[in-house]
Amino acid sequence: MKRYGIGFLAAVGAANAGCSFGFSAEFMLATPMFKELGFSAWLITFAWLSGPLSGFIFQPIIGRWSDNCRSIYGKRRPYILLGTFISILGFIFFANPQILSNDWLNYPEKSNATIIVVILSMWILNIGLNIVQAPAWSLVLDFCTDTNQQHTGNSIMATWCAIAGLAATLLGYIDLQYYLPWFVLSPQKPPLISSQPNAGVSASITANAKILFNIGLFFFLFCVLLTLFFAREKSSYQKWNNRDEVHFGSSSSSSASSSSSSSLPWYRVFFELIVNMPWNVKKICFAFFLANMATAPLSFYATDFMGATIYRGDPHAPPDSEQFKMYSDGVRIGALAGTFSAVVSILWAFFIPFLVHHKKFGSKFVWSGTQYLASLCMFLPVLPGGNEPRVAFCWMSIMGIVHATLNSVPYAMLGDEVGMDKNYLQQKHRHENNNDEEEDEEEREMGNVGLYMGVFNSVQTLSQLLTNFIVGAVISYLESHSVGMAIGGTFAIVNIY
């Protein structure tokens, strides 16, 4: 079977970098922007439902549909293209809500029209990104032919996610209003890096977010076009007319049952796939669920935590007040911590394949070790001295190790299970056809790889959905980001055992 090089796999996975940039930009500046616009704590929680809920709904649907796609352009690329068009609309309206509401967001305007447009555009953006992400990640498994290459491919994906996060967080730290003044009406002009403790951005956080998402639009398009150009899937129309669809983990499926299952609605197949899921895959999904519960508080509230808790600023204060300046400084430093975290992720991603394949370590050792690290970091805010700016900056940066592992090892472990089923089905198919199928061997992706990847990603979005409610309630009633972070540490401890 044909093996693909690292450069090719990196190009195939580029679309995921575009998605990661969009998600990273949301995680970094969305909450501060919402608070500046006057969102209540519960309204912020509702706005954040867009990412997890759209992922939970659309990822398995798109995964199923892409598995059964009979397009002359391949299985995955048509859905990547569909999601790209939706994402473009989301980027444009989220960055420029005045297009619909006629409210210019150079300075915070707490109008109902702006709030409605921002929430709707965030839903549109997240729906589009999730539609792209589901088939884009499946492409990696489609082109990886063995277990070792699956680990390599998923390490490349983790590196792409870290690079995209690095770009988004670094741009979030820079005062974009000063360097890109044509995006705003009356830009403030503070220095790029301030030597004064509270001499940060005194202008609108929303304006910086607006510029960042405009940049994100172009970065996203570049990454998606790179994937569409290199991932030259062959026409799946003829192939699907001549193949039998077999459920993952079902070694005794017949052509009759396969034909019947292909006509079932996606939610029936989705439910049956979960019920009949092999035990090893159930364990992987549950560990992945808990790991995302552990890191989600930091993902949703990192910059807000730094601005409100560490720097003790107030996002609701007047823009020229000292409290607002302190909050803005904290947001920028939180973005800088995210930049360092992305650098750590990139460096750690290079060691993951070596550690996973080493006989003294392995996947379980790497996974457990990073969960211990996550629990330690997430509990620090409730410990004495844990809310010191330097301490918070350090542990937030170190969490890059956890994020890199989370974006690599579980997907590789799932790929191992999918790969075993795929190899079995290929051998079964060749045997039933008297071994006369070698010319099409590399193009026959047996099993519901896309649907299974959609189920896996739905586990991630479900965990984020639950964490959003839990941590949002804690911040709303207890007014404590630190307790919210400690809740994540609790899930990491549970995941270890």
Side-chain angles (χ1 to χ4, degrees):
M1 301 181 70
K2 184 177 179 180
R3 291 180 59 86
Y4 297 94
I6 292 178
F8 176 82
L9 293 177
V12 169
N16 287 282
C19 294
S20 295
F21 188 99
F23 289 132
S24 296
E26 285 183 346
F27 287 143
M28 182 177 51
L29 289 183
T31 297
M33 183 180 73
F34 294 155
K35 287 193 171 183
E36 187 182 353
L37 290 172
F39 283 36
S40 65
W42 281 112
L43 192 56
I44 292 174
T45 300
F46 174 75
W48 274 120
L49 289 178
S50 60
L53 193 58
S54 62
F56 182 75
I57 295 174
F58 284 96
Q59 292 230 12
I61 295 177
I62 298 301
R64 169 67 171 175
W65 287 352
S66 67
D67 280 335
N68 293 324
C69 181
R70 303 184 181 185
S71 168
I72 61 174
Y73 302 105
K75 297 198 303 181
R76 316 295 182 189
R77 288 194 296 173
Y79 291 99
I80 293 176
L81 192 59
L82 171 65
T84 298
F85 284 120
I86 298 175
S87 299
I88 290 172
L89 294 177
F91 272 112
I92 292 174
F93 291 132
F94 195 71
N96 309 280
Q98 73 278 3
I99 294 177
L100 293 179
S101 67
N102 294 320
D103 288 324
W104 291 93
L105 297 182
N106 182 50
Y107 294 98
E109 294 290 340
K110 302 178 182 180
S111 66
N112 291 332
T114 298
I115 291 175
I116 292 172
V117 171
V118 168
I119 292 178
L120 288 178
S121 59
M122 190 174 183
W123 274 87
I124 294 172
L125 176 59
N126 280 296
I127 289 173
L129 292 178
N130 278 294
I131 290 176
V132 172
Q133 189 179 56
W137 204 294
S138 296
L139 273 175
V140 176
L141 290 180
D142 290 345
F143 284 98
C144 290
T145 56
D146 55 45
T147 300
N148 290 334
Q149 198 169 42
Q150 286 166 5
H151 283 286
T152 301
N154 282 285
S155 294
I156 291 173
M157 299 303 298
T159 304
W160 261 130
C161 292
I163 291 174
L166 172 63
T169 53
L170 183 59
L171 288 171
Y173 173 67
I174 296 172
D175 177 31
L176 298 175
Q177 298 178 82
Y178 177 75
Y179 291 95
L180 300 172
W182 52 85
F183 281 106
V184 290
L185 293 177
S186 301
Q188 303 291 322
K189 296 185 178 181
L192 174 62
I193 300 178
S194 174
S195 59
Q196 300 299 322
N198 296 320
V201 180
S202 60
S204 174
I205 295 173
T206 306
N208 270 337
K210 169 184 175 180
I211 299 172
L212 179 61
F213 279 94
N214 278 318
I215 295 173
L217 170 61
F218 293 101
F219 181 81
F220 172 77
L221 283 175
F222 170 77
C223 292
V224 170
L225 291 175
L226 195 63
T227 292
L228 293 177
F229 179 80
F230 281 95
R232 298 294 183 88
E233 295 180 291
K234 293 184 179 180
S235 172
S236 58
Y237 182 79
Q238 183 64 33
K239 177 172 63 179
W240 273 90
N241 281 337
N242 298 323
R243 62 167 283 186
D244 294 330
E245 180 186 350
V246 186
H247 281 290
F248 178 80
S250 176
S251 59
S252 62
S253 297
S254 64
S255 60
S257 62
S258 298
S259 176
S260 175
S261 66
S262 64
S263 62
L264 292 176
W266 71 269
Y267 53 86
R268 286 278 303 276
V269 178
F270 181 75
F271 177 76
E272 290 179 3
L273 196 63
I274 294 177
V275 172
N276 299 319
M277 186 182 297
W279 176 245
N280 286 339
V281 179
K282 288 182 179 179
K283 291 194 296 183
I284 294 172
C285 288
F286 186 64
F288 191 56
F289 173 83
L290 291 176
N292 279 281
M293 292 283 283
T295 59
L298 184 63
S299 298
F300 285 122
Y301 297 101
T303 52
D304 186 50
F305 164 71
M306 188 68 84
T309 301
I310 305 301
Y311 276 71
R312 297 177 175 84
D314 183 4
H316 302 297
D320 294 331
S321 67
E322 193 68 18
Q323 287 293 309
F324 187 82
K325 292 179 181 178
M326 294 172 65
Y327 181 79
S328 298
D329 282 343
V331 170
R332 292 179 65 226
I333 297 301
L336 184 62
T339 302
F340 276 77
S341 177
V343 172
V344 171
S345 293
I346 294 172
L347 296 176
W348 180 251
F350 286 105
F351 292 97
I352 290 176
F354 169 77
L355 294 173
V356 166
H357 294 127
H358 198 283
K359 60 181 180 181
K360 293 184 178 180
F361 301 108
S363 299
K364 292 183 179 179
F365 177 86
V366 174
W367 182 254
S368 299
T370 54
Q371 291 305 296
Y372 274 115
L373 179 62
S375 63
L376 174 62
C377 291
M378 299 296 284
F379 270 112
L380 278 176
V382 297
L383 299 178
N387 283 335
E388 292 295 324
R390 292 182 180 179
V391 174
F393 187 92
C394 288
W395 72 259
M396 289 174 67
S397 301
I398 293 174
M399 282 293 290
I401 294 176
V402 180
H403 290 134
T405 306
L406 184 61
N407 288 324
S408 175
V409 173
Y411 288 94
M413 295 171 68
L414 179 67
D416 291 343
E417 299 295 329
V418 173
M420 288 188 293
D421 180 74
K422 180 178 173 180
N423 291 335
Y424 166 79
L425 291 171
Q426 286 175 338
Q427 294 174 5
K428 178 177 180 291
H429 188 90
R430 288 197 302 270
H431 176 74
E432 291 175 351
N433 291 276
N434 299 320
N435 299 317
D436 191 26
E437 300 289 340
E438 294 182 0
E439 70 281 356
D440 194 39
E441 181 179 12
E442 67 183 64
E443 293 298 324
R444 188 173 283 112
E445 292 88 28
M446 296 292 190
N448 293 318
V449 175
L451 178 58
Y452 228 86
M453 189 60 66
V455 172
F456 199 57
N457 287 328
S458 292
V459 171
Q460 180 183 40
T461 56
L462 178 61
S463 65
Q464 292 175 346
L465 184 67
L466 294 176
T467 306
N468 181 39
F469 272 113
I470 296 172
V471 177
V474 169
I475 294 176
S476 177
Y477 288 107
L478 300 182
E479 297 183 353
S480 175
H481 290 79
S482 298
V483 176
M485 297 298 169
I487 291 174
T490 303
F491 286 113
I493 291 177
V494 174
N495 198 11
I496 296 171
Y497 299 101

